[in-house]
Amino acid sequence: MKPDDASPRVSPRVIPIQPVIEPARRIQPRATQGRITRWRWAMVLLTQAFFLGVPWLQVDGRQALLFHLERQRFDVFGLVLWPQDLIYLTGVLVASALALFLATALAGRVWCGFSCPQTVYTEIFLWIEHRFEGDRSARLRLDASPWTADKILRRGGRHLAWILFSLLTGFTFVGYFTPMRELAASVPAGTTGPWEVFWVLFYGLATWGNAGWLREKVCLHMCPYARFQGSLMDPRTQVVSYDVARGEPRQPGKERTPGAGDCIDCTMCVQVCPVGIDIRDGLQYECIGCGVCIDACDRVMERLQRPTGLIRFAARDGAVAGGLAGLRGWLARPRVAVYAGLLALTLAAMAWGLEARAPLGFDILRDRGVMARPVEDGAVENVYRLRLRNHTGRPLDGQLVVRTADGLALVAEPARIAPLPAAGATDMALSVRLPAEAALERAGRTLPVELTVTTPTGERVSERSTFIVPG
Ligand code: SF4
Ligand code: SF4
């Protein structure tokens, strides 16, 4: 049958389905060269030398930095810290936070751009990627190309190098919690424990995922610091800025007509940006302050024989940090003074605390099995268990004295404490006796008791407990 020509024609319409969430585009930053890039690489090398090297260092015959979970002891460059010394760890965290606040108030997100592990590892992974797949344009071409033997080899090589480096990172990380030399020796011997293997793989996977795949997404969506960094800055904070007055209006090409700005819209600053933003749109929360757009633009300006610094570290209020007056204006700000003051106080308090710290510490644990027991002649004994900790890197012993705060005649022989190995801990049992007459007088009461250990060098450490007299 012929179609009725008079009837309206309805052509089938294809309605494209819009994805609710746009798939994230993979950022392929271009490599840069220049002053800031050299600084960034210096920080990468410095932080990696520290991270990879320190677990192999020994101080006083012990690993320089070890959070020995099994022995519940922290070795920090010769210092011996125990769980009871958690206050120092708190101090380190507070000092680190204040140092971060201070750095942010002075120079924006320099921590993020130069030394945050996420940035450092992303930089290393990008470097590896560059070695196997070339720079940005080659990588973009490779992304779009079909799977050939060459692509498989390049991608495979890149992933193999990523995985090996990630495993090295995971292994080193575990070496901060279990003695590194024992861990290293256990690998060829095939005696590495299952937990060590698990954590090496776990941290290796985390490194591979964060630095290889998530990259800037960690900074954009997972890091809380990006959200509140703005509140730590003020108009005098030096941040990576585009000089709008000098750069606009943009004019592509080498020639410049009167009134045109210096920006030639080459987009080099965008192509090198690891978070894929355009700094010419102003300060954005995504910007990690890495400064590589400064290097990229400076090279463009040098080629054009124009002054560098179209993108530079600058204060939002336009103040220049150079010269004595500029330096004073940059540093003499209330928030800088507050953060610096609090940081100095925290560090001073920690230094004082460590200096005044006794070489030995102990806890008194009551023996729950035998709280109080009558002995011969009507005397009463209480049993205590002492947990002694050596805070030093040398063996220690000492004299133990038992006394009461109010001078009651508790009987106890002055005793030598069990010798403590360097950075070691030991338990010792102890009985304290109250003579029969005093026990009768104080039946049913609880008496204060103080135990004091005197070290050979004359330091005294005391702890208090109670003495129970049965009714
Ligand atoms: S690199 Fe410099 S000249 Fe090129 S687009 Fe960026 S700001 Fe403009
Ligand atoms: S805008 Fe510049 S400083 Fe900010 S993240 Fe991008 S390259 Fe780094």
Side-chain angles (χ1 to χ4, degrees), residues 87-112:
I87 184 76
Y88 296 107
L89 188 61
T90 312
V92 169
L93 293 178
V94 171
S96 305
L98 288 168
L100 183 63
F101 294 173
L102 179 61
T104 309
L106 288 171
R109 292 178 70 179
V110 277
W111 159 259
C112 302

Side-chain angles (χ1 to χ4, degrees), residues 240 269 272-279 286-294:
V240 178
C269 51
V272 297
C273 178
V275 297
I277 60 168
D278 188 341
I279 190 66
E286 295 97 330
C287 175
I288 57 168
C290 65
V292 294
C293 52
I294 297 178

Side-chain angles (χ1 to χ4, degrees), residues 318-333:
V320 181
L324 202 60
L327 197 64
R328 205 177 305 122
W330 182 45
L331 296 177
R333 291 182 280 144

Side-chain angles (χ1 to χ4, degrees), residues 221-412:
H221 308 298
M222 292 159 74
C223 176
Y225 176 48
R227 309 281 158 180
F228 70 85
Q229 49 143 343
S231 61
L232 301 171
M233 301 183 203
D234 65 16
R236 286 287 169 102
T237 301
Q238 297 280 316
V239 289
V240 178
S241 318
Y242 168 66
D243 189 338
V244 179
R246 188 185 139 191
E248 303 292 323
R250 303 165 197 176
Q251 184 177 46
K254 285 185 184 167
E255 302 310 319
R256 187 161 49 159
T257 53
D262 272 343
C263 176
I264 59 167
D265 211 10
C266 62
T267 72
M268 279 298 170
C269 51
V270 183
Q271 292 181 38
V272 297
C273 178
V275 297
I277 60 168
D278 188 341
I279 190 66
R280 295 172 299 170
D281 296 338
L283 182 63
Q284 296 145 71
Y285 87 91
E286 295 97 330
C287 175
I288 57 168
C290 65
V292 294
C293 52
I294 297 178
D295 276 349
C297 190
D298 279 355
R299 283 174 74 82
V300 174
M301 291 297 120
E302 280 162 5
R303 274 203 301 275
L304 295 171
Q305 296 182 331
R306 294 178 192 170
T308 56
L310 179 56
I311 302 176
R312 60 179 184 272
F313 277 100
R316 286 213 308 268
D317 67 359
V320 181
L324 202 60
L327 197 64
R328 205 177 305 122
W330 182 45
L331 296 177
R333 291 182 280 144
R335 70 179 61 221
V336 171
V338 169
Y339 295 148
L342 288 175
L343 177 61
L345 265 179
T346 309
L347 292 176
M350 282 176 62
W352 176 80
L354 286 171
E355 185 57 35
R357 188 166 170 252
L360 176 145
F362 69 94
D363 298 318
I364 303 173
L365 312 170
R366 295 302 307 262
D367 190 327
R368 289 179 187 279
V370 200
M371 294 291 278
R373 64 184 180 206
V375 289
E376 72 270 15
D377 306 332
V380 172
E381 268 187 12
N382 277 203
V383 181
Y384 302 84
R385 201 154 56 85
L386 302 194
R387 178 155 298 159
L388 297 136
R389 305 177 304 276
N390 187 346
H391 292 165
T392 72
R394 60 187 195 299
L396 260 187
D397 60 7
Q399 197 78 21
L400 181 69
V401 180
V402 180
R403 56 184 183 155
T404 56
D406 55 3
L408 283 173
L410 294 178
V411 178

